[in-house]
Amino acid sequence: MSDITLNAAAKVAEAAPRSAPITQIGFVGWLRANLFSGWLSTAVTLLLAYLIVRWAIGFVDWAFVNAVWSVPNNQTQACRDLRGTGACWAVVTEKHRFILFGTYPYDQHWRPALCIALFVGLYIVSAMRRFWRKELALIWVAVLAVIGVLMWGGVLGMPYVPQERWGGLVITLILATFGLALAFPLAILVALGRRSQLPAIKAICVLYVELIRGVPLISLLFMASVMFPLFLPEGMNIDKLLRAQLAIILFAGAYLAEVVRGGLQSLSKGQYEAADALGLSYWQKTGFIILPQALRLVIPPLVNTFIGFFKDTSLVLIIGIFDLLTAGKTAIIEPAWQGFGIEVYLTVGAIYFIFCFAMSKYSQGLEAELNRHRRH
């Protein structure tokens, strides 16, 4: 009887599952499989690790340890004495207002600063799904109206500031926000028009997309700035910023339309037939069934296009508008600060990166959340 018990216990022990070796699973397993799978892989990993660590130590020394953070009265000799061994962040400390606000009156800088805060708050509220209601459109209209009042002034005791004095980060946010907010509904209409059964509407939409996509954004900005005023009646003039904004809207709308059209074409024919079987009208079918699925499928390329156009707003420098990048370039024209462009460009690049990275991470989270809801 004892022999039978012992044999049964041995069989149970043999059948019991055993955990995988720690070198095959988890982070250690990933390292072994991807970075140390062979002698060549190990050698390349160690070499790259050495170069990265050496670069990181050098960057920390340059950016923080040996850096100069401020200088009195634009006396940049302390920065020049470093001879490249340390960063001169004093140029950013001295010029940060110009980089952010351009030539806006100094005593009124609180107005564009408040506008930047309103833009960021608007982005955060719009990203929260619990605010995705009809009232969100009213919030957008109200906030953008408040931003216009703050920037122009002339009311509530605020002095009037002409558009020529605007610049810096706030101009970049104005061009990107208004451009993409108005280009997106235009893109949806154009994408639907390209799939229309009416030949006239389809031809107009195809002509618009192919014409706009066939020229660079710089040429559209140049046309809006130089050529467009020639066709206006004598004495009539449209603000330069508005002309640039219209060019960006038209350009972004053409590219976004093709992204949306790709989402519409990716849906199976059964979705359209099911909507028709329910007796829905064209706009009900499009708004409740077709567009939500199509837009969910093209979230990655849509956000990629948004990021690209956010950075493309820097091209307005060719028509004399001081956006963030142009303000940074102009800030180092002063002789005292010439030679310290790296620090300024790193700061401007960091600002662009923060906005673009936030859009990218949000789109990834939104896509994952929508996919979870679809599976459930």
Side-chain angles (χ1 to χ4, degrees):
M1 184 69 180
S2 60
D3 292 340
I4 296 175
T5 304
L6 291 174
N7 291 335
K11 290 181 179 179
V12 170
E14 292 177 358
R18 293 183 299 174
S19 59
I22 192 173
T23 58
Q24 302 296 327
I25 60 174
F27 181 68
V28 176
W30 182 89
L31 289 177
R32 184 172 181 179
N34 294 276
L35 301 180
F36 301 97
S37 58
W39 68 268
L40 181 60
S41 175
T42 301
V44 172
T45 298
L46 295 177
L47 176 62
L48 291 177
Y50 168 76
L51 294 176
I52 291 173
V53 170
R54 184 172 180 177
W55 175 86
I57 293 174
F59 179 78
V60 170
D61 287 339
W62 176 82
F64 302 104
V65 178
N66 300 324
V68 174
W69 299 92
S70 62
V71 293
N73 301 322
N74 287 353
Q75 299 297 320
T76 60
Q77 189 58 41
C79 290
R80 301 191 184 280
D81 290 341
L82 295 175
R83 299 183 183 277
T85 59
C88 182
W89 298 115
V91 62
V92 179
T93 305
E94 181 68 23
K95 298 293 185 180
H96 72 279
R97 285 179 175 264
F98 184 82
I99 295 173
L100 293 177
F101 311 128
T103 59
Y104 209 86
Y106 187 88
D107 60 337
Q108 300 293 318
H109 278 180
W110 64 273
R111 289 158 58 180
L114 181 57
C115 290
I116 293 174
L118 288 174
F119 272 124
V120 174
L122 187 61
Y123 301 154
I124 294 174
V125 169
S126 301
M128 298 179 180
R129 296 195 65 185
R130 62 176 176 270
F131 293 108
W132 289 6
R133 301 190 298 269
K134 295 180 180 179
E135 292 79 4
L136 183 60
L138 300 178
I139 294 175
W140 268 78
V141 172
V143 172
L144 295 180
V146 170
I147 290 173
V149 171
L150 286 172
M151 291 300 296
W152 266 297
V155 295
L156 303 177
M158 296 182 295
Y160 173 75
V161 179
Q163 179 271 318
E164 290 77 11
R165 301 292 302 276
W166 302 6
L169 177 60
V170 68
I171 280 288
T172 296
L173 295 180
I174 288 174
L175 290 172
T177 304
F178 280 90
L180 294 175
L182 297 177
F184 189 61
L186 173 63
I188 292 177
L189 293 177
V190 173
L192 294 174
R194 289 201 65 172
R195 295 173 57 83
S196 174
Q197 301 298 322
L198 300 176
I201 294 179
K202 184 175 182 179
I204 293 173
C205 293
V206 170
L207 179 63
Y208 161 69
V209 171
E210 299 303 328
L211 180 62
I212 297 297
R213 292 203 307 163
V215 295
L217 178 57
I218 290 179
S219 65
L220 287 180
L221 292 171
F222 182 78
M223 291 284 292
S225 176
V226 178
M227 301 298 294
F228 181 69
L230 300 178
F231 297 95
L232 296 177
E234 186 177 356
M236 181 179 181
N237 185 32
I238 297 180
D239 186 80
K240 180 169 58 175
L241 179 62
L242 178 58
R243 298 199 301 267
Q245 187 72 82
L246 290 174
I248 291 175
I249 291 172
L250 293 175
F251 193 75
Y255 279 84
L256 291 173
E258 290 300 278
V259 175
V260 175
R261 188 168 69 93
L264 294 173
Q265 289 183 334
S266 65
L267 295 180
S268 64
K269 190 177 180 180
Q271 298 294 325
Y272 295 88
E273 295 174 346
D276 292 334
L278 293 174
L280 300 179
S281 67
Y282 173 80
W283 293 110
Q284 289 175 328
K285 174 178 67 175
T286 302
F288 295 126
I289 296 180
I290 304 303
L291 267 183
Q293 297 183 75
L295 294 179
R296 181 175 60 201
L297 292 173
V298 295
I299 287 177
L302 277 177
V303 175
N304 182 63
T305 307
F306 288 163
I307 292 174
F309 282 111
F310 179 78
K311 294 180 290 186
D312 283 346
T313 56
S314 60
L315 295 175
V316 296
L317 67 92
I318 69 166
I319 57 175
I321 296 178
F322 274 57
D323 72 305
L324 175 62
L325 181 59
T326 308
K329 292 171 63 176
T330 309
I332 54 177
I333 290 179
E334 186 178 346
W337 297 109
Q338 288 182 0
F340 303 108
I342 294 177
E343 292 84 348
V344 172
Y345 288 129
L346 283 176
T347 302
V348 171
I351 295 175
Y352 275 110
F353 175 79
I354 289 172
F355 282 97
C356 295
F357 184 74
M359 284 190 283
S360 176
K361 295 302 293 183
Y362 173 72
S363 71
Q364 293 177 12
L366 179 62
E367 184 181 13
E369 182 179 358
L370 292 177
N371 287 335
R372 285 197 300 270
H373 283 294
R374 183 174 61 177
R375 287 195 297 266
H376 294 160

